[in-house]
Amino acid sequence: MTNAKKKDKPASLWRDLSAAAQDVTGNKKGKILLQRLLESTPDAMIIVDGSGRIVLVNRQTEQMFGYARKELLGQSVEVLIPPRYRSRHEQHVKDYRQAPRVRPMGTVIEIWALRNDGTEFPAEISLGPLETEEGLLILSTHRDITERKQMEQMLREKDAQLLAAQRIQERLLPGAPPNLPGFDIFGVCYPAEFAAGDHYDYLTFPEDGLGVVIGDVVGHGMGSALVMASIHAHLRSLAEICTGIDDILSRANRLLVKGTEEGIFVTMLFARIDPRARTLIYASAGHPTGFLLDKQGEVKAVLGSMSLPLGIFPDAQFSVSDPIALTTGDIALLFTDGLIEATSPDDESFGEARVLEVVRNHRDETARGISEALYLTAVEFADGKKFSDDITLVVLKVEQIPHLG
């Protein structure tokens, strides 16, 4: 059936109903035809006269309201409306009689309806005029919208939960870059949904130094965000009592394995910066490769994965790199796989090569400027295609040693 025919079907039914109603009060055949037409519709349909008395109903009306047909004929239509809504309904019908629409379902009312057993349900009532020899009849179409209302409530509750999760996660992310003399650091997270499974953080230790963490829970959305929130809490607590990043990761891994379902794992790159020695050490648990570029934009060090992700084996060990010297102009770049796996409309991946090219082209900008350039270039590359995963970036630029005198 074409779309045009589908659109014409309600109008055709209405013409048939109107024609059959022309002499319904005095023509038995017309009344039978009108009844048959009412029975052919999926909704409860009720015809009332000028005084509001029920003239005809269909089988769906009996099923919806729990009345036998003979119990309804001649009754006021108000018997189907809870008492507290009857005045409102009477006003709607009065207003409609004064200015009836000449098309089907011209007026739509949402109201509570009353079954024979006293139970109530939300209903959508549509009114339409039927001209007859003895005056105007009103056809009302009733739909039980209980399921729709329940779905709307569920969606509202879900939206509220998602918004709450989003706000909680926003509070977990650093509110500002760390104040570390000689270093310009900027991090940002772009969720693919309301809440991200990605995370980044800056940690302080009992001894001197700054920890920079970037992680990604398998998947994205609410569940991943909750797992990452627990990891955030574990890392913060462990950083207060542990000095080695390998020890912190080992303990966090055991807690993750113990506290989450099988199949949940987290990739993570954990770097520690010594601002006095101007060195960087790191451990990467299955995380995408990070890079350290020199001031000319050439790759100085590759921060590759050194172990399995967190959450797989409780006794997993996490190796730590040797110290990597940092010099003025160096740029450390950490990111989650949402960046390199962003795709164009023809399914080409953004990839590491483009990431490095963008950093080289913007290496003279601030850490924030480099981060924004990376994301905007990825957006342009996607050309309107929605990102399928969260994108998180941390950029660190090594600046001149501040003058201490």
Side-chain angles (χ1 to χ4, degrees), residues 114-164:
L114 180 67
R115 298 187 182 93
N116 189 20
D117 63 5
T119 60
E120 300 179 10
F121 63 95
E124 182 180 84
I125 303 176
S126 304
L127 303 178
L130 292 173
E131 298 289 347
T132 73
E133 292 180 353
E134 297 189 10
L136 179 70
L137 300 179
I138 296 177
L139 171 66
S140 60
T141 301
H142 297 249
R143 291 181 179 175
D144 184 343
I145 57 173
T146 301
E147 290 187 6
R148 184 202 301 175
K149 291 295 184 181
Q150 290 173 344
M151 184 62 69
E152 289 173 352
Q153 180 62 26
M154 289 174 60
L155 290 174
R156 283 193 294 269
E157 291 175 359
K158 182 178 179 181
D159 287 345
Q161 291 172 358
L162 290 173
L163 184 59

Side-chain angles (χ1 to χ4, degrees), residues 66-263:
Y67 284 97
R69 190 171 313 214
K70 64 182 180 181
E71 295 179 281
L72 289 174
L73 297 180
Q75 292 286 335
S76 169
V77 72
E78 307 298 336
V79 72
L80 303 178
I81 305 295
R84 66 184 182 281
Y85 292 117
R86 285 175 184 170
S87 61
R88 173 185 169 191
H89 182 260
E90 287 173 358
Q91 188 61 46
H92 277 304
V93 175
K94 181 180 178 180
D95 294 342
Y96 187 79
R97 287 197 187 102
Q98 292 176 353
R101 304 285 181 89
V102 294
R103 58 185 177 86
M105 299 184 184
T107 300
V108 179
I109 306 167
E110 282 194 11
I111 200 168
W112 283 84
L114 180 67
R115 298 187 182 93
N116 189 20
D117 63 5
T119 60
E120 300 179 10
F121 63 95
E124 182 180 84
I125 303 176
S126 304
L127 303 178
L130 292 173
E131 298 289 347
T132 73
E133 292 180 353
E134 297 189 10
L136 179 70
L137 300 179
I138 296 177
L139 171 66
S140 60
T141 301
H142 297 249
R143 291 181 179 175
D144 184 343
I145 57 173
T146 301
E147 290 187 6
R148 184 202 301 175
K149 291 295 184 181
Q150 290 173 344
M151 184 62 69
E152 289 173 352
Q153 180 62 26
M154 289 174 60
L155 290 174
R156 283 193 294 269
E157 291 175 359
K158 182 178 179 181
D159 287 345
Q161 291 172 358
L162 290 173
L163 184 59
Q166 184 184 47
R167 288 176 175 172
I168 290 171
Q169 187 173 51
E170 287 174 351
R171 293 190 184 101
L172 294 179
L173 294 173
N179 182 17
L180 190 66
F183 294 88
D184 174 20
I185 304 173
F186 183 79
V188 64
C189 178
Y190 300 98
E193 297 181 359
F194 264 86
D198 284 7
H199 187 69
Y200 74 95
D201 201 6
Y202 310 120
L203 305 176
T204 56
F205 298 94
E207 300 176 355
D208 194 18
L210 175 74
V212 178
V213 177
I214 185 169
D216 182 5
V217 179
V218 59
H220 52 87
M222 176 74 81
S224 297
L226 293 175
V227 173
M228 188 51 78
S230 69
I231 290 294
H232 166 89
H234 293 328
L235 293 178
R236 287 246 164 166
S237 298
L238 292 169
E240 294 180 359
I241 59 175
C242 304
T243 57
I245 60 177
D246 53 345
D247 188 22
I248 293 174
L249 289 178
S250 295
R251 295 187 186 209
N253 175 66
R254 288 194 292 272
L255 292 169
L256 182 63
V257 173
K258 182 178 179 180
T260 58
E261 298 178 1
E262 185 177 353

